[in-house]
């Protein structure tokens, strides 16, 4: 029995890339990285560091196309490789990614995802629907949703508030107590 809050499992058999192609990509990516980074003659107007960067690009593209490793892993591997190969000092390579706004957004999305997985958004949306103030009226539900958004927004940042109420709004929409137009309006206003 599958509930609405289970994390979907990836069905590798239905993907475009077969397991053989993934295996080829797993070894082809690093081989292209080494080949273009150190053994390929430099292209016109490209120095040795540029060829190493091109090798890293070839590794990333190969792993993205073949999905040899998950895409987030591929994107994260690029930063340490640029430090290890000497393209950038670690402060510059990780400095852009580790800006406080990026980490804040990542954390906010993790919290929103955790709320969705553990059913908190459904509980909040059902408590909104079951409230005596709403009384089953869809327009009152929309107004109550927006007022609770305003009250929460007074104490949290706009980003956290938007992610929180996006999750709650999607929970309300899945419960089908509001029309599609009303839920879109409420979520977009939130």
């Amino acid at each position: 029995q599958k509930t609405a809050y289970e994390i979907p499992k990836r069905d590798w058999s239905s993907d475009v890339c077969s397991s053989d192609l993934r295996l080829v990509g797993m070894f082809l990516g690093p081989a292209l990285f080494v080949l273009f980074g150190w053994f390929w003659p430099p292209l016109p107007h490209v120095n040795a560091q540029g060829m190493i960067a091109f090798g890293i690009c070839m590794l990333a593209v190969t792993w993205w196309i073949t999905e040899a490793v998950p895409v987030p892993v591929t994107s994260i591997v690029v930063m340490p490789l640029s430090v290890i190969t000497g393209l950038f000092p670690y402060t510059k390579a990780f400095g852009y990614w580790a800006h406080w706004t990026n980490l804040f957004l990542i954390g906010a999305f993790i919290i929103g995802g955790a709320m969705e997985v553990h059913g908190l958004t459904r509980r909040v949306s059902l408590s909104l629907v079951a409230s005596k103030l709403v009384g089953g009226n869809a327009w009152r539900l929309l107004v109550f949703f927006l007022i609770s958004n305003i009250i929460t927004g007074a104490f949290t940042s706009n980003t956290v508030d938007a992610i929180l109420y996006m999750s709650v709004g999607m929970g309300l929409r899945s419960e089908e107590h509001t029309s599609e137009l009303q839920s879109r309006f409420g979520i977009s206003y939130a």
Side-chain angles (χ1 to χ4, degrees):
Q1 180 180 358
K2 183 178 178 184
T3 65
Y5 303 108
E6 290 181 9
I7 298 173
K9 304 288 188 239
R10 183 159 187 167
D11 183 18
W12 292 100
S13 62
S14 66
D15 283 349
V16 176
C17 298
S18 67
S19 61
D20 294 337
L21 186 59
R22 284 191 185 89
L23 186 62
V24 168
M26 180 64 79
F27 293 105
L28 181 63
L32 290 175
F33 166 62
V34 171
L35 175 71
F36 284 107
W38 285 278
F39 297 113
W40 198 265
L43 299 171
H45 308 290
V46 178
N47 60 11
Q49 283 189 329
M51 289 305 290
I52 291 172
F54 184 63
I56 293 172
C57 179
M58 292 305 293
L59 167 74
V61 167
T62 304
W63 279 2
W64 278 333
I65 291 172
T66 62
E67 292 184 2
V69 295
V71 174
V73 172
T74 305
S75 62
I76 290 174
V77 163
V78 171
M79 289 183 294
L81 276 178
S82 66
V83 173
I84 291 169
T85 57
L87 289 177
F88 298 111
Y90 72 93
T91 54
K92 187 172 183 181
F94 290 96
Y96 299 116
W97 180 82
H99 194 268
W100 72 270
T101 54
N102 293 339
L103 296 176
F104 181 75
L105 288 172
I106 290 170
F109 281 114
I110 288 171
I111 290 170
M115 288 173 48
E116 184 70 31
V117 166
H118 294 290
L120 183 60
T121 57
R122 183 168 188 242
R123 284 185 225 136
V124 169
S125 62
L126 287 175
S127 68
L128 284 174
V129 170
S131 170
K132 291 180 182 178
L133 295 174
V134 171
N137 187 331
W139 284 104
R140 284 191 208 159
L141 175 63
L142 178 64
V143 169
F144 194 58
F145 176 77
L146 294 176
I147 289 173
S148 64
N149 183 6
I150 291 168
I151 292 170
T152 308
F155 302 104
T156 61
S157 73
N158 291 337
T159 307
V160 171
D161 196 44
I163 292 171
L164 172 71
Y165 279 93
M166 175 69 102
S167 300
V168 172
M170 296 308 282
L172 277 173
R173 195 166 172 199
S174 68
E175 293 301 319
E176 298 179 4
H177 292 287
T178 59
S179 70
E180 185 173 345
L181 178 64
Q182 289 171 333
S183 62
R184 282 188 182 174
F185 173 73
I187 292 171
S188 64
Y189 181 77

